[in-house]
Structures are given as structure tokens and as C-alpha cells.
Amino acid sequence: MNMTIDLDKYRHSTAHLLADAVLQLFPGTKLGIGPAIENGFYYDFDRDVPFSDADFESIEAKMRDIVSRDLPFERQVVTREEALALFSSLGQDYKLDLINNLPSDEEITVYRHGDFVDLCLGPHVSSTGELGVFKLISVAGAYWLGDEKNPMLQRIYGAAFATQEQLDEYLKKLEEAKLRDHRILGKQLELFSIDEQVGAGLVYWHPNGATIKREIERFWEDEHLKRGYDLLSTPHIAKSKLWEISGHYGHYKENMYIFPVGNEEYVLKPMNCPMHLQVYKSRIRSYRELPIRFAELGTVYRRERSGTLHGLFRVRGYTCDDAHIFCSFDQVEEEIGALVEFSQYFVRCLGFENLQIELSLMDPAHPEHYIGSPEVWERSQATLRHVLQSKSLEFIEIEGEAAFYGPKIDFQLIDVYGHKQQGSTIQLDFNLPERFDLKYVNSSGGEEYVALLHNAILGSIERFMAAFIENYGGAFPMWVSPVQVALLPITDAQLEFASQIHEELKDSGLRVYLDDRNEKLGFKIREHSKVPYQLVIGKKEVESSCVSVRHRSRGQIGTMTSSEFKSLACEEVQNRVIS
RNA sequence: GCCGGCGUAGCUCAGAGGUAGAGCAGCUGAUUCGUAAUCAGCAGGUCGUAGGUUCAAAUCCUAUCGCCGGCUCCA
């Protein structure tokens, strides 16, 4: 028996329970759809009065009442006419809409329990008595059939599990996740702020957050230089002409910040690609130079819709870690292979082991949505697939997810909420080389179009840092920690010795904080509980010229000289240990 | 952009027509302390912003900005 399918059935049946309860309590409500989802279910309702959290109690009570009546679920096959008649008599317009959109040869089934009837494919549990482990979570707006031109319905989300323990565990996990929320930690640890006075979606990195960001960026630069990339630095604004050539002005205009300067019009860059292409184009390129690998930590600005902003995950100005590789077509496979290795290596070094790899392909039903010939697509997609297979990587293929300009490989990080977060992306581009006329001179002196690869390992440093902060719950790996070592003198009699150690450790490049406040040791330890190492300095330590080393998760490690500690700490930093 | 909820001290929140309150943080003082919260005192707010209703608005209404949960979007 497949547990996943079983649980889906359970959740879907619970959704029916919810709809039944709502109809009993609020007659006249129209039903949308109510599927099983990860961790539970939802059901969409059309009702004039908004549901409030206060309604949840009575709805849940009614649902439990239906459970206790142990009503059997009954499947019934009906003709299209019967179905239309049934739901039209019930005034369920959205169901009529669904029926009318079903393929003509589709068998139509309805499921009943008690007086409740719903258009539904099933399957369901056999009786409402089997249900009962659920909790309504939230209500939110959702467009009918996901189209913003359609009316907006009210969606009630619920959690449902096979056992009460699993439900409790899930609810507990939600609570715990709140404590790791990067927006909360960002404030507590003074990592960053977003000031409504100055603009939504614009991030201010405070000293602590800026330190983490700088360390990650240094690592990023080091690793790119090691792999034969040249680092660029390009302007933040450019005349509209550039964006007309790139095509952004036609397709992406509503997301761009555009402003007049004299008689000219400028654009704040939403992407770095055109800039990098300009550098490529600055002179004739020879096949001998290929592959050329350009990379930049470029700050870009995009006018994202107001409702989509979300902490650091979705902002309007961010650092894009952009790389572009210009190569010949027969170098593509090798370059892609290197990019896949690089991406995986990089995010693993930052503590992300759980990756989901997606290969995004064109939609074969709509070749007209894409540029480039079907043969080129076919060959490129096969190349990407072959790279992943040759590395024995598990991946899923998604048709229709490709960009219009080429197929891509995406790496999804899994965050503490279990949500996927976009990580690395590797994209083939059939569009820009032609638009920008990017060529090189081949070995026989002829001109050829260059192949263009886009690669972003982190995508957005800001977005990545949100996931990074949550992944570590604010207790960062030693090498990125804003404070790596906290010095905790027990009384002010040890201040002088502590200051000496402070200087000594600082000189070796460590980020050290001397807590010289007149507070008790326990208080200081608590305050620095996220700092990797806390050095306790009391009377005994001064007398023996030592420090008592305490690690934030391993507890007391022992007493050692400052130079012994220094080499231990520096080694951990140099090796970029991630624990 | 859309639906719903919410904006009160640096932070977390209480107050629900009668003139603003707690804890933590901060400051001052006392305490000199051995591995996750020492005690006391002081100070701190045009209640997001702008209008309106009212004798009186943090509280009711309107608009606006922002935040939260989703939807949509992410050439």
C-alpha cells in the first residue's frame, strides 16, 4: 500500500468534510475546488462575507460532528446531463464551469456523504468516521482556476495527517520554524533592515549581516577565480537603447525602473547580462580565447509587485551573482558539466545538502512560444540531460518550464519550512547572441555565433542569505560568523588580561568581541549563545595565562593557551568548516 | 496588482470613545560574581501617515504607506 496515495486520499476526504461543514453553516456558499496538498488540504469558497479565524472553531466543530456520524462516502457515475442538472439545482456555478470544461469522453463521477455531494474523481476513504486528524490553519484569497482575471475566492487551508502525533509534530515544526524565520533573526541579530520610510523591498545590511554577506561573496569570488572566470564590474544604469537591443524593454518593461535624464532615457539595470555582452563585444574575439567566462556580483533592481515582497526572499534591489560563459557549441557540454559540479560544490560548502535538480524543457505542444529551431532545442536539451545522467544525478524533467530563449537546469534548496527555494540556475541562451550579434572568428577565419550560457549559483545573494540564516537558525558557521569569539571576563579584575587576548586574536584576523560589561558569567554566556566560541577568563585563567574554551553547541572544551586556541580557531576559519 | 488580517516605546505586546501601560533592551547606581537571565532607580510614545465624525479619537469612518498569510506574477 502506497502511504503517499493513502494520505492524499485522507486529506482530500477531509477537504470534502470542510466543504460540507461550510455549506451547513453558511448555506448558499459556492464551492470551488478542494484538493489534497502537502501537509493537508484546502478548499476554495465563494461567499460574500469573509471567513475569519473565529469561524474556524465552529467549522471545525461541525467537521468533527460529521466525523462522529460516520457517514459512508459513495461514488456514483453520472452522465454529463445529470451532472449539469444536479449542480445547477444546487446553484454550484463553479462546478458547472468544471463540468463544461471536461473532455467529452471523460467519465463523470460524484461523491456523496450524508447530504453533501461534490463533483470529484476520487478516490476517498470509505467513511467520514475514518477521518478526524486535522486542523484549519488559515484563510487566503485565491483566483478561480488560478487566473487573476477570474473572481477571487476564499481559500481555507487545513493540515491533516494519519495520526495525531504527526499532526502535532507538524504544528510544532511550524512553531519552531517561526523562531528561525530570517526576518525575526535579522532583527534580533542586527543583520539587516528594510525601512518602510525609504522603500519596500530595499535592504539595508547592518554590520553583522554585511559581514556574513562579505564572507560569502569573498568565497564566491575566490571560487570563480580558481575556475578560470574573469570578474567584471559594470554600471548600474544604461540608456534605454541597450534594453531595446536585449529585448527587456519590450518584454520586461513593467518591472524596470525607467527615468529621464535630459533628452535621454535611462534604465536601472534589472539584469547584468547586457553589460557582460557589451564587454564581450568590445573587440573581435578569437576561437583561441574561448571559453570566456565573465562573472560579477552585480546589484540589480526590479519593480516587483507589492504583494510579492517577502523579507529577503523577494526584494526590489539585490545582488545577482551572475556569470556568462561564451564558448563554441562543441564546448557547451563540458562547460555545463563544470557548472553543475561548481554549483553543487558551492552550495554544499554553505551547508545545503538537500537539493532538488530540475531540468526545464520546452513545451512540445507550443514550439511557437520559443525562439530557436526545434533541432537546436532537441540537441541542447539532450546535452543537458546527458550531463546530468553522466554524473548519476537524480533530477526531474519539467516540460514547459524552459525560458523562451533556452532550456535550463535549476537547483532547488529546501528550507526549514520544507519549501523549495530557487538556488543555482544554468541556462542556455539562443536569443541574446543573435540580438547582440555575438560572434567569434573560428580557426578558418570565418565568423560564427558564440554559444552563451548563463549561470547564477546563488541567484540572489539576498535570497540565498534568507535561506542560509534560516538553515542555521542564526548560529552561523565559524568562518562567516559576525562574531567568531566572545571573550567573557568574570570580573573586572580580568579585564586587562582579556584585552591582551582580544588584541592578540584580532591581530590573527579573528572577529572577536570583548564583553567587558559588569554582568554575571551565566548572563554573558546566554547573550553570546550563537557565537561559535566563548572564552571564559577568570582568576584561574589569568594565573595560568590560559583561556577556558566553551563552544556554543559542544559546551566546555577545556583550558588552553591563547595561541593554542588561536590555531584551532584559525584552522576552522581557513577550512570553512560548516558545522 | 488582488483577497483577508495587522500597524501603540528600540523589541514583544496590553489598552477597544474620556486624554497611554507592562516586560525585555537603554541609561544611572549598587553588586565583582566560574559556564544559558543580580538588584534598584531613571528615562523613553503627535498610538504608521493624512483627512473626517465627535464636546472628546490609539479606539469609529475614508484615503494612503508598510507589514503578515495566501493568490497572481517572476520576458
Side-chain angles (χ1 to χ4, degrees), chain A residues 565-578:
Chain A
F565 172 74
K566 198 162 65 182
S567 56
L568 174 156
C570 289
E571 194 184 327
E572 188 170 338
V573 170
Q574 260 154 32
N575 294 337
R576 293 189 165 116
V577 175
I578 56 172

Side-chain angles (χ1 to χ4, degrees), chain A residues 378-389:
Chain A
E378 195 53 49
R379 202 174 70 221
S380 307
Q381 293 183 163
T383 303
L384 295 186
R385 187 182 293 114
H386 181 247
V387 168
L388 293 174
Q389 284 167 345

Side-chain angles (χ1 to χ4, degrees), chain A residues 243-497:
Chain A
W243 307 102
E244 283 163 16
I245 296 171
S246 71
H248 291 95
Y249 204 89
H251 296 281
Y252 200 62
K253 195 174 178 181
E254 66 280 9
N255 285 306
M256 306 198 302
Y257 292 101
I258 300 172
F259 54 98
V261 179
N263 294 327
E264 305 275 9
E265 192 180 60
Y266 280 76
V267 174
L268 199 46
K269 71 173 166 185
M271 298 184 187
N272 297 303
C273 324
M275 274 74 179
H276 289 197
L277 306 191
Q278 285 301 116
V279 177
Y280 179 88
K281 265 176 73 93
S282 62
R283 64 170 166 81
I284 293 177
R285 301 289 176 174
S286 153
Y287 73 98
R288 294 174 187 275
E289 302 178 71
L290 304 183
I292 290 172
R293 307 184 188 91
F294 288 155
E296 177 180 15
L297 291 164
T299 307
V300 298
Y301 292 89
R302 299 181 183 180
R303 169 101 185 56
E304 302 291 354
R305 293 164 83 171
S306 60
T308 65
L309 299 176
H310 180 90
L312 294 178
F313 278 122
R314 193 75 174 178
V315 292
R316 287 185 172 149
Y318 62 90
T319 312
C320 189
D321 70 312
D322 234 333
H324 295 94
I325 296 178
F326 306 86
C327 61
S328 64
F329 282 91
D330 51 16
Q331 290 170 326
V332 166
E333 179 157 352
E334 192 182 337
E335 288 300 313
I336 300 252
L339 287 175
V340 169
E341 297 270 351
F342 188 11
S343 293
Q344 287 201 300
Y345 169 78
F346 199 86
V347 297
R348 287 206 168 118
C349 284
L350 288 162
F352 286 93
E353 284 296 331
N354 283 333
L355 299 178
Q356 183 179 309
I357 306 177
E358 296 173 357
L359 174 57
S360 297
L361 308 170
M362 72 183 297
D363 179 355
H366 293 282
E368 72 279 10
H369 291 171
Y370 303 89
I371 76 145
S373 69
E375 296 75 42
V376 170
W377 273 87
E378 195 53 49
R379 202 174 70 221
S380 307
Q381 293 183 163
T383 303
L384 295 186
R385 187 182 293 114
H386 181 247
V387 168
L388 293 174
Q389 284 167 345
S390 69
K391 296 184 185 301
S392 309
L393 294 169
E394 271 186 39
F395 61 97
I396 54 172
E397 300 196 8
I398 310 177
E399 287 187 344
E401 269 300 297
F404 83 94
Y405 52 76
K408 57 178 180 168
I409 296 172
D410 288 317
F411 293 78
Q412 305 283 350
L413 313 173
I414 311 296
D415 74 12
V416 281
Y417 291 94
H419 292 158
K420 285 193 291 186
Q421 297 293 345
Q422 173 72 42
S424 309
T425 181
I426 299 168
Q427 311 186 351
L428 266 166
D429 190 328
F430 308 141
N431 180 42
L432 292 176
E434 284 193 37
R435 279 183 168 270
F436 278 83
D437 197 32
L438 302 179
K439 291 182 171 157
Y440 67 94
V441 179
N442 64 23
S443 57
S444 37
E447 282 196 328
E448 276 185 49
Y449 276 113
V450 76
L452 175 63
L453 306 178
H454 301 263
N455 174 231
I457 290 187
L458 303 176
S460 148
I461 306 286
E462 278 73 6
R463 183 180 60 200
F464 177 80
M465 282 186 63
F468 185 71
I469 291 165
E470 295 184 356
N471 203 36
Y472 282 101
F476 302 106
M478 175 80 163
W479 65 279
V480 301
S481 279
V483 177
Q484 295 165 320
V485 184
L487 298 181
L488 314 179
I490 293 177
T491 75
D492 51 19
Q494 291 88 42
L495 274 182
E496 197 188 326
F497 181 65

Side-chain angles (χ1 to χ4, degrees), chain A residues 21-30 47 51 55 58-59:
Chain A
V22 167
L23 283 187
Q24 288 189 45
L25 291 167
F26 310 103
T29 301
K30 289 179 184 172
R47 176 181 171 231
F51 290 108
D55 293 325
S58 55
I59 295 172

Side-chain angles (χ1 to χ4, degrees), chain A residues 3 5 23 39 78 159 182 199 322 379 429 492 564:
Chain A
M3 277 306 289
I5 289 173
L23 283 187
N39 300 316
V78 293
H182 76 279
D322 234 333
R379 202 174 70 221
D429 190 328
D492 51 19
E564 281 171 329

Side-chain angles (χ1 to χ4, degrees), chain A residues 6 10 12 73 86 117 120 256 321 383 395 417 459 530 540:
Chain A
D6 231 14
Y10 186 91
H12 186 186
F73 276 92
L86 172 65
V117 57
C120 183
M256 306 198 302
D321 70 312
T383 303
F395 61 97
Y417 291 94
K530 289 190 198 291
K540 280 185 286 183

